[in-house]
């Protein structure tokens, strides 16, 4: 079994669903979570340059990457818990 992320036209995650391993992706679906963009306080995108010589920029890049990874893992966990809850609800209704 795999988790498929269903996204809106703009790329935001709309829902997740559990599918068979041989599932063929449909439009606006992905097995991987999209990268989470990072913005400055004035809503300008942060351009990450991991080869930057500036230590402050390197630290910012690492923090943004860690935050994106954490958010992705939290989204995956939330999806798995939602699926488990749905399965328990269905079993309890029988």
């Amino acid at each position: 079994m795999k988790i498929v992320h269903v996204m809106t036209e703009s790329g935001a995650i709309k829902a997740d669903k559990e599918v068979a391993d041989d599932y063929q992706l449909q439009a606006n679906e992905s097995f991987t979570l999209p990268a989470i963009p990072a913005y400055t306080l004035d809503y300008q995108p942060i351009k990450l340059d991991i080869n930057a010589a500036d230590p402050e920029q390197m630290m910012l890049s690492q923090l943004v990457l860690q935050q994106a990874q954490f958010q992705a893992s939290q989204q995956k966990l939330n999806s798995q818990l939602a699926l488990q809850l749905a399965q328990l609800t269905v079993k309890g209704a029988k």
Side-chain angles (χ1 to χ4, degrees), residues 1-5 16-26 29-31 83 87:
M1 299 303 269
K2 292 182 180 180
I3 301 290
V4 169
H5 308 289
D16 292 323
K17 61 183 178 182
E18 190 172 6
V19 296
D21 289 333
D22 60 348
Y23 180 80
Q24 297 294 317
L25 291 174
Q26 305 298 315
E29 291 183 342
S30 176
F31 290 120
L83 286 172
Q87 290 170 349

Side-chain angles (χ1 to χ4, degrees), residues 86-94:
Q87 290 170 349
L88 288 172
T89 303
V90 169
K91 288 180 184 178
K94 290 183 180 182

Side-chain angles (χ1 to χ4, degrees), residues 8-65:
T8 63
E9 293 292 327
S10 63
I13 296 176
K14 180 167 56 172
D16 292 323
K17 61 183 178 182
E18 190 172 6
V19 296
D21 289 333
D22 60 348
Y23 180 80
Q24 297 294 317
L25 291 174
Q26 305 298 315
N28 296 327
E29 291 183 342
S30 176
F31 290 120
T32 58
L33 290 170
I36 301 170
Y39 296 94
T40 62
L41 295 176
D42 60 350
Y43 300 103
Q44 297 300 313
I46 296 175
K47 295 178 181 157
L48 301 177
D49 181 6
I50 58 174
N51 297 319
D54 181 11
E56 184 178 339
Q57 179 67 29
M58 289 176 65
M59 185 169 50
L60 178 62
S61 298
Q62 290 173 347
L63 290 174
V64 169
L65 179 60

Side-chain angles (χ1 to χ4, degrees), residues 16 71-84:
D16 292 323
Q71 289 174 337
S73 68
Q74 289 300 108
Q75 177 66 33
K76 182 178 178 182
L77 177 61
N78 289 344
S79 299
Q80 291 169 342
L81 291 172
L83 286 172
Q84 289 175 354

